[in-house]
Amino acid sequence: MKKSTLYFWIFGGVSLLVVLLLIWIVAGPSGPILVSKQTTYLTSPLRSDGLVDYSQAIIDMQGQDVSPEENAAIPFLEATWPCDIPPEQQALVCDALQMPLPPVDGMLSMYNDQLSAQVGRQLGQLAPQPGTAPAEPLDTSEVFEIMAQVTQVPWTRGQVPDLADWFEAQQPHFDKLQEMNERPKYYLPSPTLLANKNEFLFAALLPTVQHQRDVARALMARAMLAIGEQRPQDAWQDIKTCLRLSGCCSKPSFLIEALVCDAIRGIALNALAQLLASGQCDAALLAEIEAYLAALPPFDEMAPSINTLERLGGLDAALAFCTKKAGANEMLGGSGAAVGAFSYAPFDRNAMLMRLNVWYDRIAATTEIDDLEQREAALEQLELDLSAEVEGATSPGNIAGAIFNQRARGEMVAQVLAGLILPTVTQAVYAEERLNLQLQLARVAVALERYKLENGDYPEALAALEKRIDLALLKDPYAPAQLRYAKRPPGFLLYSVGRDRIDDGGASQDGEIVGGEWIAAATPLRPQNWDMVIRFPLPKKSIEDFLPWNLDQVGDSLPTDPVEEEPAEESKESGETETPPLAEPAPAETTDQ
């Protein structure tokens, strides 16, 4: 054989081997998914395909050591049944909770169509009528505005009689809700997880979340009715039940459940401020409130929610993507044609999972930092680094390196998925901080009310409380000093400088309090910097002020209530009906930063 022919075959063979090697590198099998702490995070229980059954794992974690006698979810369900749980899943839920199927339906939302129509007709009768024109009922938006105000402003039966009658008819359901106060634990799994249809965890239905919001509104409206009718003990019972409701999420919880519970505790503390400012509490009731709040643990749901259920949800979505249960277009959206193309080629799935877990580990460690200033700095750096991670996924160098390396492709896919499934934790963590500060201010306000009842007036300085309450309550968590306090007859000003650590003189976030004083403006200007403020006494408001024909007359003399917004990061279906949202309100008496 001629040397030229031999060289040709040698060169051709080597070239073919190189091509085959490149094909193997680019398109060869990616290997099995390893079940380990570093990849799947959990290692059991396993499905028939050998991967972790996250749905069952969550059910096992949430239901561990919760007996029916301890479970506050049982009276909650009995009071609100069927709670939007699909008929085909109701038996599953009851069996999981070891409770019988409730024989009758529970309480509807106070925004239900029939009640809204009744209230609209009744209030419409009060409108000034020209000549002999028949009375027109209030439209739905006007009724909803009144319904929103009765949860924040004391009122009486004579002002909204149909609503008061409806509350009276719901008494058996409210009695059931109050049974939650005697049950220290809560376990109510998602019906989707119980059905175990191997759907995305991120798509798990949480139908009971909306009913928790509705129940919170109803409890606060009843509390405002009790305050309006000089029944402070009854008001406190409903506020206390609402505070218990704020702790009613399975442990660990989905992030949206934690955010809703955060918001519920916030509105309960706002209602407590109304009760304290009413001057109706005697010494025994104030002592009871003080003891209850002292035993109420700080809200601490965000870190375990993010570290566990949000992590499992993200890994579950990533596994669904890389096992082809979800396509690249569905998961990646508009993240780039090049990355979408790579996602169809084999990639190192274990490298992808490990990189995602590194991010979840860092998020978890950041949310658990106790020092508020250090945690804020770590959160800011976390967001910067996560943005850089996502932006770097589609850089030319990253794409070029991923062409011939399955591990690099796996890490690149993880970078893209990080921007889609990793939670933006900053606002959730700050919401929890604000809530715990609100609880701290409320406890100091109770102590101030007790001091006034015993001494005839508020103290000149917080030093007068130092032998009465935990000294840590007087410390501003955002400053190297005590909370700011001033006696301002006939009330007081109490505030924290808030997360910006700047003393703005007692300026509230909604602009209704400036320089520690309520201002009269129809549309207050929201300040750029603010504090978290309690200012007693509260402005005198009446439900009549919010009737459509009175709004123009009183608009310039009353602070307005802020528009409520949905909690951030809602990533689960919750089976909601069309009712006004409930989230982190920043009401006039306790506005936050």
Side-chain angles (χ1 to χ4, degrees):
M1 182 181 295
K2 293 181 178 181
K3 286 186 177 181
S4 59
T5 303
L6 180 61
Y7 291 154
F8 171 79
W9 283 108
I10 291 174
F11 178 77
V14 171
S15 298
L16 179 61
L17 287 174
V18 170
V19 170
L20 291 175
L21 180 61
L22 289 175
I23 292 174
W24 178 263
I25 292 172
V26 173
S30 58
I33 295 172
L34 301 178
V35 175
S36 69
K37 175 76 170 178
Q38 293 72 32
T39 53
T40 55
Y41 189 66
L42 300 181
T43 57
S44 65
L46 300 180
R47 303 191 310 235
S48 58
D49 62 2
L51 295 178
V52 176
D53 187 341
Y54 288 122
S55 294
Q56 188 59 52
I58 292 170
I59 292 170
D60 293 344
M61 284 188 288
Q62 291 181 337
Q64 186 176 12
D65 298 327
V66 182
S67 68
E69 295 74 24
E70 298 173 300
N71 192 358
I74 292 177
F76 172 78
L77 279 183
E78 290 172 336
T80 59
W81 191 258
C83 214
D84 280 340
I85 299 172
E88 67 275 12
Q89 295 175 346
Q90 291 173 5
L92 283 174
V93 173
C94 290
D95 288 346
L97 272 59
Q98 301 178 56
M99 62 175 285
L101 202 69
V104 296
D105 287 351
M107 180 170 60
L108 294 174
S109 165
M110 61 183 277
Y111 292 89
N112 70 78
D113 292 342
Q114 182 178 355
L115 180 59
S116 295
Q118 286 179 298
V119 171
R121 287 192 296 270
Q122 177 255 311
L123 293 178
Q125 298 291 329
L126 304 178
Q129 301 297 328
T132 59
E136 292 288 335
L138 272 61
D139 64 32
T140 301
S141 63
E142 292 169 336
V143 172
F144 278 13
E145 173 62 19
I146 296 299
M147 292 290 205
Q149 293 303 328
V150 298
T151 67
Q152 303 174 52
V153 178
W155 58 287
T156 65
R157 176 181 295 271
Q159 292 173 317
V160 197
D162 286 344
L163 182 58
D165 291 344
W166 185 81
F167 282 142
E168 193 171 291
Q170 306 305 310
Q171 187 59 49
H173 303 314
F174 283 109
D175 290 342
K176 273 292 175 188
L177 291 171
Q178 291 190 353
E179 289 181 21
M180 295 191 303
N181 291 311
E182 308 304 319
R183 304 197 183 199
K185 298 181 180 180
Y186 189 87
Y187 168 54
L188 182 53
S190 163
T192 307
L193 302 186
L194 293 172
N196 200 14
K197 295 180 180 178
N198 288 332
E199 298 177 355
F200 295 135
L201 290 181
F202 280 158
L205 293 174
L206 302 171
T208 60
V209 167
Q210 176 60 36
H211 285 269
Q212 286 180 276
R213 294 165 165 162
D214 289 337
V215 165
R217 294 186 185 101
L219 287 166
M220 292 305 89
R222 276 218 329 173
M224 293 301 104
L225 173 62
I227 294 172
E229 296 184 341
Q230 304 286 310
R231 294 183 285 110
Q233 187 68 49
D234 291 341
W236 167 239
Q237 286 303 313
D238 283 336
I239 294 170
K240 182 169 69 173
T241 301
C242 196
L243 287 169
R244 176 67 189 100
L245 183 65
S246 74
C248 287
C249 56
S250 299
K251 308 292 190 295
S253 64
F254 287 105
L255 187 56
I256 179 56
E257 294 177 294
L259 287 165
V260 168
C261 286
D262 178 296
I264 289 172
R265 180 170 291 191
I267 68 167
L269 292 174
N270 296 333
L272 176 60
Q274 284 281 359
L275 177 60
L276 295 175
S278 71
Q280 299 174 21
C281 300
D282 60 18
L285 181 54
L286 286 173
E288 180 183 345
I289 294 171
E290 187 171 58
Y292 183 91
L293 296 183
L296 191 67
F299 200 80
D300 185 24
E301 298 296 334
M302 301 306 176
S305 172
I306 292 165
N307 188 35
T308 307
L309 260 63
E310 292 302 312
R311 181 198 295 259
L312 299 185
L315 296 178
D316 175 69
L319 284 167
F321 165 64
C322 67
T323 56
K324 305 306 181 186
K325 289 184 178 179
N329 290 336
E330 179 184 354
M331 287 295 298
L332 299 178
S335 297
V339 177
F342 276 127
S343 68
Y344 288 105
F347 58 88
D348 190 331
R349 299 174 292 181
N350 294 308
M352 175 196 69
L353 293 172
M354 285 190 285
R355 185 151 184 157
L356 287 174
N357 269 312
V358 168
W359 276 106
Y360 279 112
D361 289 341
R362 182 175 170 188
I363 291 171
T366 301
T367 59
E368 291 172 355
I369 295 174
D370 291 329
D371 184 273
L372 297 183
E373 192 166 2
Q374 292 178 13
R375 180 165 62 189
E376 182 176 347
L379 284 168
E380 290 176 357
Q381 188 61 50
L382 176 69
E383 291 204 344
L384 291 173
D385 293 347
L386 182 56
S387 296
E389 171 89 348
V390 175
E391 291 172 3
T394 55
S395 67
N398 209 20
I399 293 175
I403 292 176
F404 301 112
N405 189 310
Q406 285 199 20
R407 182 176 183 84
R409 285 203 297 276
E411 292 186 343
M412 185 181 70
V413 171
Q415 286 178 274
V416 177
L417 290 178
L420 298 172
I421 61 179
L422 291 182
T424 303
V425 301
T426 301
Q427 293 307 315
V429 172
Y430 289 162
E432 189 170 79
E433 285 183 17
R434 289 193 299 268
L435 182 65
N436 289 329
L437 178 55
Q438 187 179 2
L439 175 59
Q440 178 184 345
L441 291 171
R443 291 182 63 184
V444 176
V446 173
L448 289 168
E449 291 300 315
R450 292 195 71 184
Y451 184 96
K452 177 187 177 184
L453 196 64
E454 295 170 8
N455 297 278
D457 202 354
Y458 294 111
E460 297 294 333
L462 290 180
L465 303 181
E466 289 180 354
K467 295 182 179 180
R468 305 171 63 98
I469 62 174
D470 184 350
L471 290 178
L473 292 176
L474 302 179
K475 171 73 171 61
D476 190 334
Y478 294 105
Q482 285 191 339
L483 296 168
R484 273 55 170 177
Y485 169 80
K487 176 183 174 183
R488 295 195 178 179
F492 65 84
L493 170 67
L494 176 70
Y495 67 95
S496 162
V497 298
R499 192 165 52 83
D500 66 359
R501 296 170 175 80
I502 297 173
D503 187 346
D504 298 297
S508 64
Q509 181 184 5
D510 55 23
E512 294 182 1
I513 303 175
V514 176
E517 299 297 340
W518 296 98
I519 65 170
T523 308
L525 296 175
R526 290 177 178 266
Q528 185 175 3
N529 299 311
W530 59 86
D531 307 308
M532 189 162 181
V533 186
I534 291 181
R535 177 68 171 99
F536 281 5
L538 306 180
K540 296 296 183 182
K541 296 185 182 181
S542 170
I543 290 302
E544 280 89 351
D545 297 332
F546 301 95
L547 294 171
W549 49 89
N550 289 334
L551 286 176
D552 291 340
Q553 301 175 32
V554 300
D556 291 332
S557 62
L558 286 175
T560 58
D561 293 294
V563 177
E564 295 176 350
E565 299 176 355
E566 282 294 331
E569 305 306 318
E570 181 161 356
S571 57
K572 311 290 181 294
E573 295 293 333
S574 56
E576 298 181 5
T577 57
E578 186 176 351
T579 60
L582 171 68
E584 295 176 60
E589 63 273 13
T590 50
T591 52
D592 60 32
Q593 181 155 321

